[in-house]
């Protein structure tokens, strides 16, 4: 049974029936159809930086290695078509060298280009959906190739159609980006605001510096980045918390269809703060630690088990729920023996 440990940045000891990589759609469909005919479950994997295998997986893991980057430009835009198996940070770094600006805030995010639309990766004031033009997919069941527009993808905060109507139904093969030549730098978030005469290169370097100072490097300490999403709550819930805590960090999010027009302000409260207040920062349970400089990240101290991770995550959810009445939701993909699981 092949080990999944090197295929997931969290690095739990887990195995699966087989691991197969593919470099094009034809080889993917051939492996997929064989697995289907044998009633084997499959899981598509990019860089494994958002996937935690809490148990041995009864099925085939298919690792996306579709490569290739092509570019053309018009008077107003750069257009890029990128294979889903390209490494995200290497792609961002290439764009910086070529002066195809726009991705600088998203530097050093681990993983593949193909996974970037799935949770609409975001950091330091920018989400990737601002730069995505189209996403090329193949329907698993039929092999039909489709081109989804930005609107079709229904992007939201750590959200997209790939987590809902199209969950487990498509393989993303390529992502097409459209970068305006007259772009606006995004420097409003935290430490970026202090940059003097900001340029894309300065933002890129600063983002890398901040990330290295806060987030554990998965090659040294197993982790999957933020374990939970930042909760978005109504103004009333926020105000109730703010009565008891003088300085709750928060960000106002624009209204959405879920909120009536009269009450359309939503507030994002950092889960890191909630977890910190609940007393988990730096806390260790067996071999899982809540990271001391960023409590939103759980780390594998070496030899952690799936049940250690699940126990710690459930303890955090229950404590934050008990203290603040807010239900934290995982941002990571947790897998059990039969596939994706929820807590
Ligand atoms: P994987 O874990 O391989 O896959 C993630 C999901 O996508 C799985 O459900 C998988 O089945 C599916 N999938 C992957 N590729 C395809 C495909 N081609 N077609 C169909 N389905 C596919 N995220 C952020 O948004 N912002 C951050 O700042 C950030 N920082 C991080 C920092 C660290 C240290 C780490 C470890 C993670 C961080 N992340 C961050 C999370 C992670 O890097 C992103 O979610 C990334 O996009 C995952 O890419 P991946 O290829 O590793 O995904
Ligand atoms: N905080 C505390 N205690 C701490 C650390 C932080 O209270 O020990 C509070 C502070 O108030 C701080 C706030 O948490 O201002 C936010 O912290 P940070 O700026 O580090 O960002 P975050 O909200 O915790 C999000 C993303 C990250 C992304 C950063 C930067 C989510 C779930 N996480 O984290 O994404 O890199 O912003 O933009 O939205 C990921 O998705 O894996 C990820 C790392």
């Amino acid at each position: 049974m092949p080990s999944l440990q090197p295929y997931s940045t969290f690095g739990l000891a887990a195995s699966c029936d087989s691991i197969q990589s593919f470099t094009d759609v034809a080889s993917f469909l051939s492996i997929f159809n064989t697995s289907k005919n044998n009633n084997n479950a499959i899981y598509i994997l990019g860089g494994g930086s958002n996937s935690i295998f809490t148990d041995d997986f009864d099925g085939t893991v298919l690792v996306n290695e579709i490569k290739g980057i092509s570019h053309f430009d018009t008077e107003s835009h750069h257009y890029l078509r990128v294979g889903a198996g390209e490494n995200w940070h290497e792609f961002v770094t290439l764009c910086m060298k070529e002066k195809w600006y726009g991705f600088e805030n998203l530097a050093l995010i681990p993983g593949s280009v193909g996974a970037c639309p799935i949770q609409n990766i975001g950091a330091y004031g920018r989400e990737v959906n601002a730069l995505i033009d189209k996403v090329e997919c193949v329907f698993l069941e039929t092999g039909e190739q489709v081109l989804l527009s930005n609107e079709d993808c229904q992007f939201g905060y750590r959200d997209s159609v790939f987590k809902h109507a199209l969950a487990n139904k498509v393989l993303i093969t390529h992502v097409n980006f459209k970068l305006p030549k007259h772009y606006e730098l995004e420097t409003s978030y935290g430490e970026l605001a202090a940059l003097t005469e900001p340029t894309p290169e300065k933002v890129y370097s600063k983002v890398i510096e901040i990330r290295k100072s806060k987030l554990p490097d998965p090659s040294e300490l197993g982790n999957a980045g933020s374990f939970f999403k930042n909760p978005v709550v109504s103004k009333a819930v926020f105000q109730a918390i703010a009565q008891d805590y003088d300085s709750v960090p928060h960000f106002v999010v624009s209204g959405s269809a879920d909120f009536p027009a009269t009450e359309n302000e939503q507030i994002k409260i950092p889960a890191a703060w909630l977890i910190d207040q609940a007393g988990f920062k730096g806390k260790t349970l067996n071999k899982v630690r809540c990271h001391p400089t960023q409590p939103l990240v759980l780390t594998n101290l070496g030899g952690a088990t799936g049940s250690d991770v699940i126990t710690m995550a459930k303890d955090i959810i229950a404590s934050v729920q008990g203290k603040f009445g807010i239900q934290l939701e995982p941002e990571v993909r947790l897998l059990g023996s039969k596939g994706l699981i929820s807590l």
Side-chain angles (χ1 to χ4, degrees):
M1 297 268 279
S3 169
L4 285 165
Q5 210 161 15
Y7 290 89
S8 155
T9 60
F10 206 93
L12 297 181
S15 63
C16 62
D17 294 346
S18 84
I19 302 174
Q20 301 196 44
S21 58
F22 57 94
T23 53
D24 56 35
V25 173
S27 55
F28 170 81
L29 287 174
S30 154
I31 307 167
F32 174 78
N33 287 324
T34 308
S35 302
K36 198 173 119 190
N37 292 338
N38 294 334
N39 276 327
N40 280 342
I42 64 129
Y43 185 71
I44 299 169
L45 199 65
S49 63
N50 211 31
S51 301
I52 302 181
F53 294 95
T54 68
D55 201 349
D56 294 339
F57 175 61
D58 296 339
T60 300
V61 169
L62 287 139
V63 183
N64 190 332
E65 287 182 6
I66 298 177
K67 303 279 189 197
I69 301 175
S70 57
H71 163 263
F72 71 90
D73 65 337
T74 61
E75 213 167 285
S76 59
H77 288 85
H78 290 288
Y79 290 84
L80 293 151
R81 178 176 186 260
V82 188
E86 292 286 349
N87 174 275
W88 176 259
H89 179 64
E90 286 170 15
F91 164 65
V92 170
T93 303
L94 170 83
C95 291
M96 294 304 297
K97 282 201 191 105
E98 297 290 344
K99 303 194 188 309
W100 302 329
Y101 296 132
F103 295 110
E104 47 283 342
N105 301 56
L106 302 173
L108 214 62
I109 296 180
S112 61
V113 168
C116 83
I118 293 178
Q119 71 156 8
N120 184 21
I121 58 170
Y124 302 97
R126 178 143 291 168
E127 288 180 324
V128 76
N129 68 316
L131 306 164
I132 289 179
D133 187 18
K134 295 184 174 73
V135 177
E136 295 176 45
C137 308
V138 172
F139 273 99
L140 305 184
E141 288 300 327
T142 60
E144 184 197 349
Q145 308 210 5
V146 282
L147 194 57
L148 299 180
S149 70
N150 182 300
E151 202 182 14
D152 292 335
C153 294
Q154 298 170 21
F155 290 117
Y157 164 63
R158 296 294 190 272
D159 204 16
S160 73
V161 73
F162 305 107
K163 285 184 157 188
H164 301 282
L166 294 184
N168 305 317
K169 289 197 166 57
V170 295
L171 166 75
I172 294 173
T173 63
H174 296 84
V175 183
N176 293 255
F177 300 97
K178 181 179 176 184
L179 314 177
K181 288 186 174 173
H182 297 288
Y183 60 92
E184 281 187 23
L185 270 182
E186 172 52 65
T187 55
S188 58
Y189 191 98
E191 293 100 314
L192 296 185
L195 285 174
T196 50
E197 294 178 27
T199 60
E201 286 76 11
K202 281 188 188 175
V203 172
Y204 170 83
S205 301
K206 190 70 189 174
V207 165
I208 291 176
E209 185 191 316
I210 302 168
R211 293 182 68 96
K212 283 188 172 167
S213 72
K214 280 191 190 173
L215 293 166
D217 178 348
S219 67
E220 290 163 11
L221 190 59
N223 76 90
S226 299
F227 197 93
F228 300 100
K229 288 193 256 189
N230 284 331
V232 178
V233 302
S234 68
K235 206 171 171 181
V237 168
F238 167 71
Q239 281 167 342
I241 295 172
Q243 273 187 351
D244 294 336
Y245 297 85
D246 283 345
S247 50
V248 190
H250 62 283
F251 305 89
V252 177
V253 182
S254 56
S256 79
D258 299 336
F259 275 71
T262 50
E263 191 40 53
N264 69 349
E265 224 175 52
Q266 293 174 277
I267 315 286
K268 194 188 266 182
I269 303 180
W273 183 82
L274 297 167
I275 297 168
D276 195 348
Q277 295 296 316
F280 278 88
K281 183 162 151 170
K283 206 168 162 180
T284 304
L285 178 104
N286 296 329
K287 294 291 182 187
V288 178
R289 176 175 291 166
C290 183
H291 197 60
T293 56
Q294 174 41 297
L296 191 47
V297 177
L298 301 187
T299 63
N300 174 4
L301 298 179
T305 65
S307 86
D308 293 342
V309 176
I310 290 170
T311 306
M312 175 70 119
K314 283 186 170 168
D315 281 359
I316 291 174
I317 291 173
S319 286
V320 168
Q321 174 71 48
K323 199 171 172 69
F324 297 102
I326 293 178
Q327 181 77 17
L328 290 181
E329 285 174 25
E331 194 247 55
V332 293
R333 300 301 186 101
L334 293 164
L335 286 114
S337 61
K338 303 291 173 207
L340 288 168
I341 53 170
S342 44
L343 289 178

